Amino acid sequence: MQPFTRRDFHVDLAASDRIGRRLVFKPVTHEHDEADPDLAGNDVREILQLDHPRPGFSVLTRTLTLDSGLTATLETQGEDLGVLLARIESVPPQQQFPSIDGTTVALSYRLVPRSGARTPDPAGVDREFLRGVAEISNFTLVMRAPLVKGYPAEIDLTPKTAGVAVPEDLLAVIGWAWSPLRKSKAGWSGKVKVRGSGPELSRLIEQRLERTVSHLTRTLSQPPAAYHESLARARWGVALRRALPLLFFASLILGAASLTLVEIPQDSIVNLLLMGAPPLLMIGAFGMRDIPSMEIPPFPRRMTHAAWHPEIETAAPQTLDVQQT
């Protein structure tokens, strides 16, 4: 306990689980910096948790919570508790709550020792992106890093009220890396293609998260009709992109049918290629990490509802009636 008591961290016995080898420390509040307008009015509440699943191995997790409810975590693993605490304290709490176009984002990381760095050096670590959360115009956006290398990052967009409808291409218009949204139990889900490993992958995910938050902040602050008017060309591009798998397989079928009209010698290598093409195409299709969906995409249309949230749309006429009265 010495590394923690020296830094004024004291164990919360009621919240700890000694049988489960878990210690939870009492909360510490960091008052917001007046010079930082992004966190104005938001104090940061910090709770440390130490898990010791086996001898010689510990996991230290810092959980930060803003007054607004946004939560970010920072974790690291190792043996020396003093080194683990030094790693955690090397990242200021404010760095986990950046502002993007006026929207505060909560970033969660895992601190991993850098290859070739000295173990006791708390600065010799890399940040691995785990999760990013943002509250945007009554929506909750969550982006999670892929659990397996080479797979896309996951996106969840959850409305806080029922009856909300958003277009499937809401995020796909940003670029080819973003997939169309699919309806889920809580809201909508999507994917973002990312490539790389280690710090490079984390930086790429953060860049994609920044573009996503910036796009949603601009789009959801305007009426739905403005979305189609400003991004009509990009929406038609997404529709064409979604139709490419179907067009590709349709062209294969038409190409195979046209070969019946062409006389090919029996001893030609073309016959061998044609016989091996179907199984090779099936292996290639099922071997893809993200199998393309065969669909006829809906045509982009201008949305007629006045607001993204039904209660906002119905509240406007009521307010107008009161003023008229």
Side-chain angles (χ1 to χ4, degrees):
M1 298 304 301
Q2 290 183 0
F4 298 94
T5 54
R6 290 198 206 102
R7 305 295 297 169
D8 291 331
F9 289 103
H10 304 283
V11 175
D12 187 346
L13 296 178
S16 300
D17 182 5
R18 296 182 60 187
I19 298 178
R21 304 180 67 82
R22 172 177 297 168
L23 295 179
V24 178
F25 294 83
K26 294 181 180 179
V28 176
T29 301
H30 304 273
E31 295 184 357
H32 70 274
D33 188 357
E34 298 292 344
D36 188 359
D38 296 335
L39 294 179
N42 266 312
D43 293 335
V44 183
R45 185 170 179 264
E46 173 184 354
I47 295 179
L48 285 181
Q49 177 179 307
L50 177 64
D51 292 276
H52 190 67
R54 63 178 184 271
F57 180 78
S58 300
V59 180
L60 183 61
T61 305
R62 179 179 75 180
T63 302
L64 302 174
T65 305
L66 295 180
D67 292 339
S68 60
L70 278 179
T71 300
T73 62
L74 184 68
E75 66 177 60
T76 186
Q77 305 173 356
E79 180 178 358
D80 192 322
L81 299 183
V83 173
L84 298 185
L85 183 57
R87 290 178 188 169
I88 293 293
E89 292 188 326
S90 67
V91 181
Q94 291 77 10
Q95 289 188 5
Q96 294 188 245
F97 296 100
S99 177
I100 302 174
D101 290 348
T103 299
T104 301
V105 183
L107 303 177
S108 298
Y109 299 98
R110 178 186 295 113
L111 299 179
V112 180
R114 192 176 301 141
S115 58
R118 295 181 302 172
T119 304
D121 184 11
V125 293
D126 292 323
R127 300 185 192 180
E128 286 189 359
F129 182 93
L130 296 179
R131 184 180 66 257
V133 182
E135 303 287 343
I136 308 173
S137 184
N138 217 18
F139 285 88
T140 300
L141 172 71
V142 180
M143 181 180 291
R144 296 183 299 274
L147 299 177
V148 181
K149 181 181 178 181
Y151 280 76
E154 301 286 340
I155 288 181
D156 289 326
L157 186 64
T158 306
K160 296 183 179 180
T161 55
V164 179
V166 299
E168 295 180 353
D169 57 7
L170 180 62
L171 299 182
V173 295
I174 302 176
W176 280 71
W178 284 259
S179 73
L181 293 175
R182 304 295 182 185
K183 197 75 176 68
S184 62
K185 292 182 179 180
W188 293 268
S189 60
K191 299 178 181 179
V192 181
K193 295 179 181 178
V194 289
R195 293 289 185 269
S197 60
E200 179 185 355
L201 176 62
S202 295
R203 284 192 294 268
L204 179 58
I205 298 177
E206 287 187 48
Q207 292 173 3
R208 298 276 163 87
L209 174 62
E210 182 177 349
R211 291 188 61 184
T212 304
V213 172
S214 179
H215 168 72
L216 287 178
T217 300
R218 293 192 306 269
T219 301
L220 299 179
S221 63
Q222 300 175 354
Y227 168 72
H228 180 77
E229 293 172 358
S230 59
L231 296 170
R233 184 174 180 179
R235 297 190 71 190
W236 280 104
V238 173
L240 177 60
R241 190 203 326 169
R242 295 175 65 176
L244 286 179
L246 182 61
L247 294 175
F248 174 74
F249 283 99
S251 63
L252 289 180
I253 295 174
L254 293 176
S258 63
L259 290 176
T260 59
L261 305 177
V262 180
E263 185 176 353
I264 301 175
Q266 293 294 330
D267 57 350
S268 174
I269 193 174
V270 177
N271 274 327
L272 180 61
L273 293 176
L274 292 177
M275 292 178 60
L280 290 177
L281 288 174
M282 292 183 63
I283 293 174
F286 288 102
M288 298 177 65
R289 289 189 175 97
D290 192 11
I291 300 177
S293 57
M294 306 287 291
E295 60 178 342
I296 300 177
F299 292 153
R301 291 186 174 87
R302 185 177 183 273
M303 286 160 285
T304 57
H305 45 280
W308 295 101
H309 296 274
E311 74 279 3
I312 299 178
E313 184 176 358
T314 56
Q318 293 177 358
T319 304
L320 181 61
D321 293 342
V322 172
Q323 293 176 350
Q324 290 177 349
T325 303

